[in-house]
Every structure is written in C-alpha cells, then in structure tokens.
Amino acid sequence: SQKIEQNSEALNIQEGKTATLTCNYTNYSPAYLQWYRQDPGRGPVFLLLIRENEKEKRKERLKVTFDTTLKQSLFHITASQPADSATYLCAPWANTDKLIFGTGTRLQVFP
Amino acid sequence: DTGVSQDPRHKITKRGQNVTFRCDPISEHNRLYWYRQTLGQGPEFLTYFQNEAQLEKSRLLSDRFSAERPKGSFSTLEIQRTEQGDSAMYLCASDALQGTGELFFGEGSRLTVL
C-alpha cells in the first residue's frame, strides 16, 4: 500500500541554521509533491509544489527537491528563525482526486 | 473572499450525542474535502465533493458519519452516536477543479467526546 514517511521526531535547530526535513514515499509515483506548514490548532497552509520533472524549487528562504529515483523530497529552510517553528507536512499526489499527507515533522527553532 | 470557514471551532459533547460541523469553502471552488487529524498525525482523508456530488469516501468514514453538500456550496459533516475515538480535529479544504492543486484549509473544528 502507499506509504508516506516523515521523521516523527522533532527537529531542533539553532536560529540562523538551515533546517532540512525529509519525506519518503513508497508504492506509488507522484506527479507532484506539495509541502504545507501547520501551526498548533490551525489548518495547514500551502507552501510549495514541485512537479516530477522539476529537480528543485525555491521560494524565498525555502527550497524543495524531488528525487523520483530515491522516492524522496527534501525541504530546506535557510537562515531559520523562531517564527519558522511549526509542523511541516508533505503530500505527494499521484493521479487521484485527493491529497494524502504524511505524518508531519515538527520543527523547533531556538534563539 | 475570507477563505475557508468552519463552524464551530470547538465542540465538546458527551458520548452518544450527535454533532454537526459546517464548512463554507472559497466561493469559486467546486471541490470540497473533509479530513480528520489526531494529535501527532497528518490529516487523514475522509471524503470529497465535486459540486454537490460526493465522489469518494474513505473506509475511515463509518456509517455513523455522513457528509452533504446540498447545493454545491457549503458542506456539513454529521457524526451520529459519537464515541470517544471520534475526538479529533475535523478539517475542511477546498480547491478548484482546474486549479493549481493547492488545497485551501479552514481552521478546523475540534471535537472532544467525553
């Protein structure tokens, strides 16, 4: 069955460093992959979408890579700030009408 | 446009009671989704509508759950005979059929079943 894996352990990093979050998927071939941010008690908010024919996508301090051979996406936040502290969800989409989410990774950026 | 709105934001109920949640999507969006999220987990798909037609339901959606979107605008999710295991955040999202693929979520309705 389709499986999406994100590191369930929280990632703690110091302000100013680069945070790297991983999303691995198995048993399907997504045409694109999305990343969302979720703050406690709030709904997810869309950040970036990367297509299968794109290796890398950037938006301000965010960078996403998509390796269809490794079945993996990496999500980077450069020059991280305490305001970046949140849970980040990945959602690979594979020709279905619904988006399936990973469990999310909680990022904590401390001063 | 004010985005996706959900009501109520919080609901506390006793086991066995019925509860209903409402979702108002972004007005031009013809697709509407319901997800459920428990602590430490990602959103789990429950069901989705295209206009007024309910096109898919997850196996998670037991017969105690029913969702409607009568006029293709707002949607309701009803849970009958609630159980403690129904305690979760119920999230609604919408998008346009010919959109970018991005889902727009509401702030969720948190259900606590005592």
Side-chain angles (χ1 to χ4, degrees):
Chain A
S1 61
Q2 297 174 350
K3 195 174 180 183
I4 304 164
E5 291 182 328
Q6 294 186 257
N7 194 340
S8 58
E9 291 184 12
L11 178 63
N12 297 307
I13 65 165
Q14 191 171 23
E15 182 176 11
K17 302 290 187 185
T18 296
T20 299
L21 285 68
T22 304
C23 175
N24 295 297
Y25 57 90
T26 54
N27 296 329
Y28 67 130
S29 300
Y32 61 75
L33 188 147
Q34 299 184 27
W35 283 89
Y36 288 75
R37 169 184 172 139
Q38 187 174 26
D39 291 288
R42 310 290 295 272
V45 174
F46 172 80
L47 294 175
L48 279 169
L49 180 153
I50 185 166
R51 301 186 186 282
E52 60 180 339
N53 60 349
E54 297 175 313
K55 295 291 186 186
E56 182 179 297
K57 199 86 169 274
R58 291 176 185 262
K59 179 182 176 183
E60 298 171 354
R61 294 184 296 111
L62 308 181
K63 185 179 86 172
V64 172
T65 63
F66 192 10
D67 189 325
T68 55
T69 301
L70 290 179
K71 295 186 180 296
Q72 180 181 79
S73 175
L74 298 179
F75 177 83
H76 306 271
I77 306 175
T78 58
S80 59
Q81 304 166 0
D84 295 326
S85 299
T87 295
Y88 292 86
L89 301 159
C90 79
W93 181 85
N95 297 320
T96 64
D97 288 324
K98 59 184 183 288
L99 207 54
I100 305 298
F101 289 86
T103 54
T105 298
R106 188 162 60 87
L107 172 66
Q108 184 72 38
V109 181
F110 56 91
Chain B
D1 189 20
T2 56
V4 178
S5 63
Q6 293 189 244
D7 183 70
R9 290 292 312 279
H10 304 275
K11 178 72 176 178
I12 300 174
T13 191
K14 293 182 179 179
R15 188 177 53 175
Q17 298 294 305
N18 299 343
V19 296
T20 299
F21 301 115
R22 176 181 170 124
C23 172
D24 286 88
I26 293 172
S27 56
E28 61 266 28
H29 286 177
N30 52 4
R31 297 199 300 193
L32 184 149
Y33 306 79
W34 286 99
Y35 286 83
R36 179 171 67 188
Q37 187 175 28
T38 53
L39 197 62
Q41 300 298 313
E44 295 176 295
F45 170 79
L46 293 179
T47 188
Y48 97 96
F49 293 83
Q50 184 169 305
N51 300 313
E52 65 275 10
Q54 187 174 20
L55 296 186
E56 188 171 346
K57 292 195 294 185
S58 164
R59 287 173 294 173
L60 293 174
L61 214 65
S62 76
D63 55 5
R64 295 184 299 105
F65 288 70
S66 62
E68 293 183 341
R69 194 182 183 198
K71 296 181 181 178
S73 55
F74 73 91
S75 175
T76 57
L77 176 68
E78 181 183 18
I79 309 174
Q80 295 183 325
R81 304 181 304 281
T82 52
E83 301 172 355
Q84 288 185 325
D86 297 331
S87 296
M89 175 78 89
Y90 290 86
L91 292 162
C92 176
S94 69
D95 73 350
L97 182 58
Q98 300 302 324
T100 60
E102 170 188 352
L103 286 187
F104 295 79
F105 281 88
E107 296 290 34
S109 293
R110 178 164 295 284
L111 173 65
T112 301
V113 182
L114 302 176

